[in-house]
């Protein structure tokens, strides 16, 4: 029942919460909290850009908790990274639980919920129904024995754990070992039919989440709940999406299918336990035929389905369907058989449905295609991986508009949502109508074709506590040559060396490829006495820690560093970006999305490539100022950001730093910073 006494107002609760964590209220935080409360009242969706240091987690948690307690409702908070999830569950929510208990009239509650695959399955462990071994492990005694040792350790761990949560197992185990003791939602028998359902770790986590005011989860589980028909989250009326700039990529990942010959073979072997062997053998042979077609296929995007491949896929589809039909009716009395049947059905469904989707992907013309298909290439990193066929949605906006915004009031927030100066690009990708009145005119051409009418929403930029013009310099090296295809030009290495020397180290080098990061590391280690760390030398977490502890140290790396480094203070006073991070021309998904926009009359380059680059640039340059007294330089070596027509769009996506192309001014500023 809702509380009988009226709850304190939002401003009073926020002030209490901020004081309890030892902070100070900021105008942007108050503005954001009021906007969240207004969205809760009206049901309109809200997108909020809140810069680093705004205190955005309190700005959405306080009104969310007030709403949850007042209405006896559940609020879902979704994050993209484990780091933010941990911050919420280990720091922010426990503090609010204690601080707001008295003014709210009771202690607010929270829980963390992950996908079923993250929890140990007692039934699978008890039945000994292990997954089929990976093909490369079939004849490798060392891998088999190593797997056995890990599974034995998991069997011992089950008596010690209260949650069965994989993240609590330290040190961890391989994915292959964990698969032996976990199930997906499709493979689960269901709590009512499972013999150990009353003790199920995943069900206990769901039950706890169902009683909580705030449920913290991740974008992948939010997508599964919304898109795949499995209700994994408790009933809720409000969703808060933090790190919302990552939402589309995470949803796309969940909605991407993959078919390999190994997956077909594994499904056939699993089916062989519960159907006539002749049917399973037929699927096994279909998998062999598919493997032959896949080996002959060049890597990259498929613009048309080759007839031999279509034939092989049709045989796989039909053989999987025959096996599914051969499963026969369920026999719940025999639990071992029921478990084996469920596991076989899950793998057969996945093989069949993916084959169907691959075959249908080429039915529509370019402007109306829903999916893109490509054959994967071996990355060259680690042991060689067999080829796979992948199929991914060209857009997820329609899915989000129907299954997320159409079902729940949604608040989306991040430090980087206004690309090119407006929310339009992000709104389109989420399936929300663009704000035509505030559309950016800073970029050449039209970003995309007209967005359809959609849910009502408001965009709000609450700014940042940082004075970017006084704290940061944006250096555009317009005198350098454009980047080439053969690695970093010598002039880039010279410029980087001079900047690092002026800064006295303290440099985070963000490179568009691992090849460029390694080239810069090798070249500059030979001509500089400054310590230079390169991503891949050790775990990323350890490298970042070493970088933060020694002001003279420099750290070079690629994509994960663009979004994952948080080093306030003097250890980081220079961020160098080697080139505008456009997607690779051979990226199958980005290139297909770009072409689809152009087929509908839009500007595919701006809508896809420039938007991708703007988001990464905003994230990467955001590594510079992490505390209010930080100062430094963002240096972009690629001159196209200053000279190309799309440069205005990219620059408008960045904070308003003081901007210059004078190298000596920048080096003098870095020397002054290093001397302080």
């Amino acid at each position: 029942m809702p509380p009988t006494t009226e709850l304190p107002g939002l401003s009073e609760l926020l002030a209490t919460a901020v004081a309890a964590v030892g902070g100070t209220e900021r105008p942007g935080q108050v503005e954001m909290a009021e906007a969240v409360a207004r969205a809760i009242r009206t049901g309109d969706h809200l997108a909020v850009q809140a810069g680093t240091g705004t205190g955005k987690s309190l700005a959405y948690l306080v009104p969310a908790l007030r709403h949850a307690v007042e209405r006896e409702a559940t609020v879902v908070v979704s994050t993209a990274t484990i780091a933010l999830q941990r911050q919420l569950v280990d720091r922010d929510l426990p503090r609010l639980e204690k601080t707001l208990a008295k003014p709210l009239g009771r202690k607010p509650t929270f829980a963390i919920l992950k996908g079923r695959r993250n929890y140990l399955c007692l039934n699978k462990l008890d039945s000994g129904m292990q997954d089929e071994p990976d093909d490369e492990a079939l004849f490798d005694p060392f891998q088999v024995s190593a797997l056995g040792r890990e599974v034995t350790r998991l069997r011992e761990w089950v008596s010690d754990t209260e949650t069965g949560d994989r993240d609590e197992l330290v040190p961890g185990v391989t994915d292959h070992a964990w698969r032996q003791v976990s199930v997906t939602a499709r493979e689960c028998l269901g709590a009512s039919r499972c013999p150990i359902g009353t003790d199920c770790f995943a069900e206990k986590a769901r039950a706890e989440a169902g009683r909580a005011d705030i449920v913290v989860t991740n974008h992948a589980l939010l997508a599964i709940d919304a898109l795949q028909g499995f209700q994994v989250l408790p009933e809720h009326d409000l969703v808060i999406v933090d790190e919302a700039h990552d939402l589309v990529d995470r949803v796309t990942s969940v909605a991407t299918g993959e078919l390999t010959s190994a997956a077909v073979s594994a499904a056939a072997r699993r089916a062989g336990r519960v159907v006539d062997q002749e049917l399973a053998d037929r699927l096994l042979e279909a998998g062999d035929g598919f493997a032959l077609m896949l080996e002959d296929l060049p890597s990259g995007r498929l613009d048309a389905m080759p007839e031999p491949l279509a034939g092989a896929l049709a045989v796989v589809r039909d053989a999987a369907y025959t096996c599914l039909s051969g499963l026969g009716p369920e026999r719940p009395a025999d639990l071992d058989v029921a478990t084996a049947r469920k596991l076989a059905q899950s793998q057969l469904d996945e093989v069949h449905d993916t084959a169907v989707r691959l075959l249908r992907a080429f039915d529509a013309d370019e402007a109306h295609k829903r999916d893109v298909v490509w054959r994967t290439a071996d990355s060259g990193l680690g042991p060689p991986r067999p080829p796979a066929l992948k199929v991914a949605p060209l857009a997820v906006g329609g899915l989000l508009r129907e299954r997320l915004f159409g079902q729940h009031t949604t608040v989306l927030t991040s430090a980087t949502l206004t690309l090119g100066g407006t929310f339009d690009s992000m709104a389109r990708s989420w399936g929300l109508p663009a704000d035509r009145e505030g559309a950016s005119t800073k970029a050449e051409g039209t970003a995309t074709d007209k967005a359809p009418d959609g849910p009502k929403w408001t965009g709000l930029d609450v700014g940042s506590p940082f004075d970017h013009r006084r704290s940061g310099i944006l250096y555009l090296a317009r005198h350098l040559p454009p980047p080439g295809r053969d690695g970093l030009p010598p002039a880039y290495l010279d410029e980087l060396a001079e900047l690092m020397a002026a800064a006295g180290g303290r440099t985070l080098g963000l490179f568009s490829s691992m090849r460029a990061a390694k080239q810069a590391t090798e070249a500059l280690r030979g001509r500089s006495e400054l310590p230079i760390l390169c991503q891949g030398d050790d775990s990323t977490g350890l490298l970042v820690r070493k970088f933060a502890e020694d002001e003279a140290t420099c750290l070079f790396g690629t994509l994960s560093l663009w979004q994952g480094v948080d080093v306030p203070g003097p250890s980081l006073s220079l961020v160098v970006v080697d080139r505008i991070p456009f997607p690779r021309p051979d990226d199958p998904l980005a290139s297909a999305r770009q072409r689809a926009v152009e087929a509908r009359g839009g500007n595919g380059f701006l809508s896809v490539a420039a938007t991708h680059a703007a988001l990464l640039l905003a994230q990467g340059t955001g590594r510079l100022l992490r505390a209010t007294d930080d100062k430094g330089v963002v240096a972009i070596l690629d001159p196209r950001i200053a000279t190309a027509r799309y440069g205005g769009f990219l620059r408008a996506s960045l904070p308003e730093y003081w901007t210059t192309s004078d190298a000596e001014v920048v080096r003098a500023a870095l020397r002054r910073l290093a001397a302080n």
Side-chain angles (χ1 to χ4, degrees):
M1 292 292 291
T4 54
T5 58
E6 190 171 338
L7 298 179
L10 175 63
S11 58
E12 181 183 338
L13 287 174
L14 183 61
T16 302
V18 171
V21 300
T24 55
E25 264 187 4
R26 297 189 171 101
Q29 185 183 52
V30 174
E31 187 180 8
M32 178 175 172
E34 290 172 346
V36 172
R38 188 161 52 249
I40 293 171
R41 285 196 309 273
T42 63
D44 291 347
H45 307 298
L46 173 68
V48 186
Q49 177 164 283
T52 302
T54 303
K56 63 181 169 65
S57 58
L58 286 188
Y60 63 69
L61 287 175
V62 171
L65 283 169
R66 188 184 189 281
H67 167 71
V69 171
E70 184 178 44
R71 299 295 179 191
E72 291 294 334
T74 295
V75 176
V76 169
V77 176
S78 179
T79 75
T81 63
I82 293 174
L84 179 55
Q85 208 170 72
R86 285 292 168 207
Q87 176 193 315
L88 294 173
V89 172
D90 296 341
R91 192 184 72 185
D92 294 344
L93 285 166
R95 287 175 173 178
L96 293 177
E97 183 182 52
K98 295 176 183 177
T99 303
L100 299 184
K102 186 174 180 181
L104 289 177
R106 68 167 174 83
K107 182 186 285 190
T109 57
F110 65 91
I112 186 169
L113 187 61
K114 305 172 185 178
R116 188 172 291 273
R117 186 60 115 172
N118 291 277
Y119 300 96
L120 187 147
C121 173
L122 294 170
N123 180 48
K124 193 168 185 182
L125 196 68
D126 185 60
S127 67
M129 188 65 68
Q130 294 194 355
D131 277 12
E132 297 292 338
D134 294 335
D135 282 356
E136 62 267 25
L138 280 171
F139 304 106
D140 188 334
F142 178 78
Q143 285 198 39
V144 172
S145 61
L147 176 66
R149 288 193 297 272
E150 287 188 314
V151 172
T152 299
R153 184 168 154 242
L154 288 166
R155 289 183 177 279
E156 294 168 351
W157 179 64
V158 71
S159 60
D160 299 327
T161 179
E162 295 183 1
T163 65
D165 185 340
R166 181 180 181 180
D167 287 341
E168 295 182 9
L169 178 65
V170 180
V173 295
T174 61
D175 289 343
H176 192 192
W178 186 256
R179 285 200 302 271
Q180 310 307 312
V181 297
S182 64
V183 294
T184 63
R186 275 186 170 185
E187 294 169 338
C188 177
L189 283 174
S192 60
R193 296 180 55 212
C194 179
I196 320 178
T198 53
D199 297 319
C200 175
F201 291 122
E203 290 298 323
K204 285 180 178 178
R206 282 191 66 193
E208 185 180 350
R211 296 187 294 268
D213 296 312
I214 300 284
V215 174
V216 179
T217 189
N218 56 58
H219 294 352
L221 195 63
L222 181 70
I224 290 169
D225 186 77
L227 307 183
Q228 295 191 355
F230 306 123
Q231 187 183 353
V232 290
L233 296 172
E235 291 293 333
H236 55 283
D237 63 351
L238 174 65
V239 177
I240 296 171
V241 182
D242 204 338
E243 300 174 309
H245 61 275
D246 257 346
L247 180 62
V248 167
D249 282 349
R250 301 302 172 102
V251 173
T252 300
S253 180
V254 168
T256 296
E258 178 181 278
L259 190 64
T260 65
S261 60
V264 178
S265 299
R269 289 194 293 267
R270 181 70 76 188
R273 302 180 181 185
V274 287
V275 302
D276 290 343
Q277 190 60 47
E278 181 184 344
L279 301 182
D281 288 345
R282 198 179 302 169
L283 180 58
L284 202 60
E285 291 169 5
D288 292 341
F290 173 62
L292 290 173
M293 294 299 106
L294 210 51
E295 286 292 342
D296 292 339
L297 198 66
S299 300
R301 191 185 71 222
L302 270 67
D303 294 327
M305 175 65 76
E307 282 191 25
L309 180 62
L313 282 170
V315 173
V316 169
R317 175 199 62 196
D318 295 344
Y321 182 78
T322 303
C323 285
L324 283 165
S325 302
L327 288 174
E330 293 187 38
R331 298 193 295 275
D334 190 335
L335 290 172
D336 286 343
V337 172
T339 299
R341 184 184 185 281
K342 188 71 174 179
L343 292 171
Q345 182 181 13
S346 169
Q347 292 188 337
L348 290 168
D349 275 338
E350 189 164 345
V351 166
H352 173 268
D353 294 351
T354 305
V356 168
R357 186 177 169 193
L358 286 162
L359 287 165
R360 289 178 177 171
F362 300 90
D363 289 349
D365 60 31
E366 200 65 50
H368 298 92
K369 276 186 178 178
R370 297 168 60 96
D371 284 328
V372 56
V373 177
W374 72 97
R375 180 201 188 269
T376 61
D378 188 12
S379 66
L381 302 174
R385 293 178 59 84
L389 266 193
K390 288 201 169 191
V391 55
L394 280 167
V396 296
L399 293 170
L400 289 173
R401 187 169 58 246
E402 178 186 349
R403 309 281 179 84
L404 179 61
F405 301 116
Q407 305 293 326
H408 315 282
T409 301
T410 306
V411 174
L412 306 113
T413 186
S414 169
T416 49
L417 292 181
T418 57
L419 305 179
T422 76
F423 287 91
D424 282 7
S425 294
M426 295 304 301
R428 287 191 196 94
S429 69
W430 296 327
L432 295 174
D435 175 14
R436 288 293 159 192
E437 294 180 6
S440 172
T441 57
K442 298 173 184 174
E444 189 82 16
T446 303
T448 185
D449 50 329
K450 279 193 173 183
D453 292 335
K456 191 174 179 183
W457 68 281
T458 302
L460 174 67
D461 184 353
V462 299
S464 165
F466 304 145
D467 186 343
H468 287 90
R469 290 189 67 82
R470 289 182 177 273
S471 301
I473 296 173
L474 176 61
Y475 170 45
L476 307 178
R478 64 186 306 150
H479 64 283
L480 292 178
R485 295 184 177 181
D486 300 323
L488 294 170
Y492 282 42
L493 295 171
D494 295 340
E495 189 83 25
L496 179 54
E498 291 173 1
L499 290 168
M500 287 166 50
R506 311 179 188 200
T507 301
L508 176 65
L510 300 177
F511 295 86
S512 55
S513 69
M514 204 62 226
R515 176 188 172 196
K518 289 180 176 178
Q519 179 191 352
T521 301
E522 292 170 7
L524 295 181
R525 276 176 178 166
R527 58 197 284 188
S528 172
E529 295 182 359
L530 295 167
I532 300 174
L533 305 174
C534 185
Q535 190 175 3
D537 290 347
D538 210 324
S539 72
T540 300
L542 184 59
L543 291 174
V544 172
R545 193 156 59 246
K546 286 181 179 178
F547 173 59
E549 289 170 354
D550 180 13
E551 292 182 16
T553 296
C554 304
L555 174 60
F556 293 173
T558 184
L559 192 59
S560 62
L561 295 187
W562 287 70
Q563 302 184 69
V565 174
D566 185 7
V567 179
S571 292
L572 174 50
S573 57
L574 172 62
V575 174
V576 180
V577 176
D578 72 325
R579 66 189 294 162
I580 298 169
F582 292 123
R584 289 168 53 100
D586 60 355
D587 180 297
L589 187 52
S591 60
R593 284 176 168 171
Q594 189 167 323
R595 200 165 65 170
V597 171
E598 290 164 354
R600 295 193 296 269
N603 186 324
F605 173 77
L606 276 179
S607 182
V608 179
T611 296
H612 175 276
L615 181 56
L616 274 180
L617 275 177
Q619 285 284 308
T621 59
R623 303 308 98 198
L624 180 67
L625 303 182
R626 309 301 294 177
T628 52
D629 55 352
D630 282 355
K631 294 182 184 298
V633 171
V634 170
I636 301 178
L637 305 183
D638 188 336
R640 294 175 296 176
I641 195 167
T643 60
R645 289 190 301 175
Y646 52 78
F649 176 82
L650 298 177
R651 295 194 302 275
S653 306
L654 304 179
E656 293 186 356
Y657 297 109
W658 186 80
T659 303
T660 183
S661 292
D662 190 324
E664 186 47 48
V665 167
V666 172
R667 289 194 291 267
L670 287 169
R671 284 191 287 266
R672 286 194 299 273
L673 271 179
N676 290 339

